Amino acid sequence: MKKILSVVGARPNFMKVAPLHRAFEQYKGPVSHQMVHTGQHYDRAMSKVFFEDLELPQPDFYLGVGSGTHAEQTAKVMVEFEKVLVEQKPDLVIVVGDVNSTVACSLVAVKLGVPVAHVEAGLRSFDRTMPEEINRLVTDAIADFLFVSEPSGVRNLRSEGVPEEKIFFVGNVMIDSLISYREKARRSVIRKDLGLGGAPYMLVTLHRPSNVDDKQSLSRILAAFERLANRTAIVFPIHPRTRKMLGEFGLMDRANAISSLKLLEPLGYLDFLSLMEQAQLVLTDSGGIQEETTYLGVPCLTLRKNTERPVTVEVGTNLLCGDDLGVGVEQSLAILGGRKKAGIVPDLWDGKAAQRIAEIVISKLYS
Ligand code: UD1
């Protein structure tokens, strides 16, 4: 029997590993699949609720590393993950996405001679000020199997000289979860609970350091909400980082004063999916939400100058509005007024990415 360990650490990892776990469960016998949770995200709303919503079993190993500077967090994950690997001696480590846990566990595994598979490989924003870009570059440089979600990922890896036999275009595991849970999410009562009824609303998520760790930038975001507030309800589940910064910059009262702005705690997977599917517009700086809105055909404005997921702009419903909130407000008003960018679903975003990955992994482990 071959032993596979998948790593989860932060919120966007859970919905990527859930379909992989289910796919490997079908091969129980030839493989055992276990999960390691690094504890990078630890609040109930940032972690546990996703295990419940995605019907994931409890992780087999919990490293409890928590927050810290990048060096502290990465180092703590490495030290704790090394102990698990030395004891468990898996045949393969699977890492997903681009968070600090992804790069930390890849480094440990490769140095212990354990092969690494990176799911969501090859994405590049070409912006090295983003911590995630560094995590992506390093992970892809050392991983053995690179599972890619969109054509740009294949192009990027080729142009970096990655050998062809390491690259597998398999589609998008995050969309696997969306397809599996869309019906269940439709039964969420979140809109009723928020008093939205059938009223139109805009959904917002913002947590990138470049947007929220700077007082001027956060103030500009609130000014944009003030301009949009008389046109639409604004639903904003706040990431802990963003809440902390609103408090530190003394901006909480200004945010609370915007009458149609609903500031919420972070939401679970099903409630958020339900809100996303029915939104008139989503404003975000997240990576995954650009993909989910493209799949759902919901207009998305991304408050960033670049995206590592260009297919969402090329064929999907995503528009980049840079960091110019003036442009963002104008684009929002146009969309709220009915001017919507049409989109199509990218290739292989069909709910079967995890199955493809499992088949490839098993054939490689037994070759
Ligand atoms: C991390 C990822 C980012 C991903 C995001 C999704 C990195 C470099 N960044 O960013 O790519 O898009 O997760 O959410 O890995 N905190 C809590 N409770 C928690 C987790 C965090 O209060 O459960 C607070 C802490 O004060 C912490 C801060 O949020 O210092 C930031 O957390 P951290 O994991 O460092 O990065 P994120 O901003 O969440």
Side-chain angles (χ1 to χ4, degrees):
M1 177 190 294
K2 303 285 185 185
K3 203 188 246 189
I4 301 173
L5 271 188
S6 285
V7 175
V8 290
R11 182 167 64 176
N13 296 159
F14 306 124
M15 60 295 270
K16 296 173 191 168
V17 168
L20 290 170
H21 182 70
R22 259 188 292 280
F24 284 117
E25 283 285 286
Q26 292 169 21
Y27 297 96
K28 248 186 181 163
V31 295
S32 88
H33 179 256
Q34 294 188 306
M35 280 180 289
V36 181
H37 189 331
T38 66
Q40 176 173 346
H41 283 174
Y42 44 86
D43 286 351
R44 185 187 147 73
M46 298 296 285
S47 173
K48 195 164 188 291
V49 66
F50 289 84
F51 281 81
E52 293 162 9
D53 281 2
L54 295 159
E55 300 165 294
L56 267 174
Q58 286 307 299
D60 300 276
F61 307 93
Y62 186 75
L63 308 183
V65 301
S67 302
T69 65
H70 283 272
E72 284 165 353
Q73 193 174 54
T74 309
K76 276 195 220 160
V77 174
M78 289 181 71
V79 170
E80 296 307 316
F81 188 60
E82 188 176 54
K83 294 176 194 164
V84 175
L85 281 200
V86 167
E87 190 194 284
Q88 293 296 316
K89 300 185 179 39
D91 297 285
L92 179 75
V93 165
I94 299 182
V95 295
V96 298
D98 55 17
V99 301
N100 286 343
S101 300
T102 310
V103 68
C105 294
S106 304
L107 275 167
V108 173
V110 166
K111 290 200 172 185
L112 287 173
V114 180
V116 171
H118 183 207
V119 174
E120 216 180 60
L123 299 180
R124 298 288 180 269
S125 64
F126 302 100
D127 173 1
R128 291 198 181 195
T129 65
M130 278 179 84
E132 294 81 1
E133 182 74 353
I134 307 301
N135 295 344
R136 292 187 282 260
L137 283 161
V138 174
T139 304
D140 286 343
I142 60 178
D144 301 273
F145 304 106
L146 298 166
F147 293 112
V148 179
S149 56
E150 65 162 79
S152 74
V154 176
R155 290 197 296 273
N156 295 333
L157 292 172
R158 282 183 183 149
S159 75
E160 287 168 18
V162 175
E164 209 58 35
E165 60 271 19
K166 285 186 167 188
I167 306 173
F168 304 90
F169 178 39
V170 289
N172 191 324
V173 286
M174 195 170 214
I175 301 301
D176 290 3
S177 276
L178 189 159
I179 291 171
S180 297
Y181 285 99
R182 194 174 183 180
E183 275 310 312
K184 199 167 174 195
R186 285 182 178 149
R187 298 198 287 275
S188 157
V189 293
I190 183 80
R191 269 172 293 139
K192 188 162 158 269
D193 287 353
L194 292 176
L196 288 166
Y201 60 89
M202 165 177 171
L203 180 62
V204 178
T205 79
L206 298 167
H207 73 279
R208 297 248 157 244
S210 56
N211 282 326
V212 306
D213 285 7
D214 172 70
K215 183 172 182 181
Q216 257 201 336
S217 158
L218 254 189
S219 308
R220 281 198 298 262
I221 289 166
L222 291 182
F225 292 162
E226 285 160 355
R227 284 184 60 194
L228 292 167
N230 63 354
R231 282 296 305 276
T232 179
I234 303 171
V235 180
F236 187 6
I238 312 187
H239 186 286
R241 172 192 281 280
T242 310
R243 182 176 287 281
K244 193 168 83 182
M245 299 321 288
L246 278 171
E248 274 181 28
F249 296 143
L251 292 170
M252 216 25 143
D253 286 346
R254 182 170 169 193
N256 284 327
I258 305 173
S259 59
S260 62
L261 176 62
K262 290 179 191 292
L263 292 178
L264 314 178
E265 290 304 308
L267 294 170
Y269 183 71
L270 297 172
D271 286 340
F272 190 77
L273 179 50
S274 157
L275 280 176
M276 200 164 32
E277 185 167 28
Q278 297 298 326
Q280 275 203 300
L281 163 64
V282 176
L283 175 70
T284 191
D285 59 9
S286 147
I289 292 170
Q290 298 172 54
E291 299 180 335
E292 290 167 330
T293 47
T294 272
Y295 183 84
L296 294 169
V298 171
C300 179
L301 276 184
T302 299
L303 196 55
R304 285 174 46 187
K305 284 188 259 186
N306 48 55
T307 178
E308 63 287 338
R309 292 159 160 93
V311 79
T312 60
V313 176
E314 289 156 11
V315 309
T317 55
N318 190 21
L319 290 169
L320 294 184
C321 60
D323 51 9
D324 185 341
L325 261 303
V327 173
V329 170
E330 291 315 315
Q331 286 171 322
S332 300
L333 290 171
I335 293 167
L336 295 168
R339 184 139 50 85
K340 291 188 183 156
K341 179 185 173 207
I344 58 165
V345 175
D347 277 352
L348 298 189
W349 291 18
D350 58 359
K352 296 180 186 139
Q355 184 59 36
R356 289 185 197 101
I357 291 171
E359 282 165 18
I360 295 166
V361 160
I362 285 160
S363 78
K364 293 290 172 189
L365 286 178
Y366 280 98
S367 67

